[in-house]
């Protein structure tokens, strides 16, 4: 369990590979499992997935229909975690989270390997955002 908790403790100094996980969602239309690779972020002790600056992804639509999914750790520790997604639609909450994500992405080590600088306004306008909770893991104290 300690290795799993350590793998989730991202900081701005965390390398790109530490931020990459797979998720398995249930298809909105098909009802079949769909597994993809995605970056996750830790902001103020909470965990998030976002769609980046791409068109609305199918994983987001799947999570809107079926918010329970599997979060697959694969860097340093292999673990399949039961997870729950909550869409983040409140403008102020989105601004707080994306302010931190964009600052992280604009650092010199560029953990998201995206073109720099990236701009908060673009993320607020385009990116889908979900908070991820892990029902089987202990809750992290609030910041």
């Amino acid at each position: 369990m300690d290795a799993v908790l350590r793998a989730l403790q991202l900081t701005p100094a965390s390398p790109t590979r530490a931020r990459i996980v797979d998720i398995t969602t249930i298809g909105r239309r098909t009802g079949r499992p769909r597994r993809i690779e995605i970056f996750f972020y830790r902001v103020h002790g909470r965990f998030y997935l976002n769609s980046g600056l791409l068109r609305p992804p199918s994983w987001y639509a799947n999570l809107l229909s079926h918010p329970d999914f599997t979060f697959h750790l694969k860097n340093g520790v292999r673990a399949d975690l039961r997870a729950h997604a909550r869409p983040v639609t409140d403008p102020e909450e989105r601004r707080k989270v994306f302010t931190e994500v964009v600052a992280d992405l604009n650092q010199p080590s560029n953990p998201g390997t995206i073109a720099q600088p990236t701009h908060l306004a673009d993320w607020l306008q385009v990116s889908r955002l979900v908070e991820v909770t892990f029902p089987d893991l202990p809750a992290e104290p609030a910041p």
Side-chain angles (χ1 to χ4, degrees):
M1 178 67 71
D2 288 343
V4 167
L5 295 174
R6 278 192 306 276
L8 292 170
Q9 299 307 308
L10 295 179
T11 70
S14 296
T16 299
R17 71 182 177 279
R19 302 160 186 270
I20 300 172
V21 297
D22 287 352
I23 62 170
T24 299
T25 62
I26 301 301
R28 171 180 53 119
R29 290 187 305 238
T30 67
R32 296 194 323 239
R34 299 285 186 217
R35 186 169 176 152
I36 64 156
E37 185 173 80
I38 191 169
F39 279 73
F40 81 102
Y41 299 87
R42 182 170 167 258
V43 176
H44 303 300
R46 295 182 179 189
F47 304 98
Y48 296 91
L49 302 173
N50 71 66
S51 64
L53 298 176
L54 306 174
R55 62 179 173 72
S58 57
W59 64 261
Y60 182 79
N62 292 347
L63 290 175
L64 291 178
S65 294
H66 305 283
D68 294 318
F69 69 105
T70 304
F71 189 96
H72 307 278
L73 290 173
K74 58 186 191 176
N75 179 49
V77 62
R78 301 252 182 225
D80 299 331
L81 306 177
R82 196 166 62 98
H84 182 82
R86 177 186 65 85
V88 179
T89 57
D90 175 73
E92 186 56 32
E93 183 180 7
R94 286 174 55 80
R95 179 173 294 284
K96 285 179 184 177
V97 173
F98 278 127
T99 295
E100 297 298 319
V101 168
V102 168
D104 192 19
L105 292 171
N106 279 330
Q107 67 175 313
S109 66
N110 196 4
T113 62
I114 62 167
Q116 291 182 319
T118 189
H119 303 283
L120 177 61
D122 296 332
W123 289 79
L124 291 171
Q125 181 178 10
V126 176
S127 189
R128 305 308 194 265
L129 181 67
V130 297
E131 180 184 4
V132 177
T133 54
F134 303 100
D136 301 328
L137 297 181
E140 188 168 313

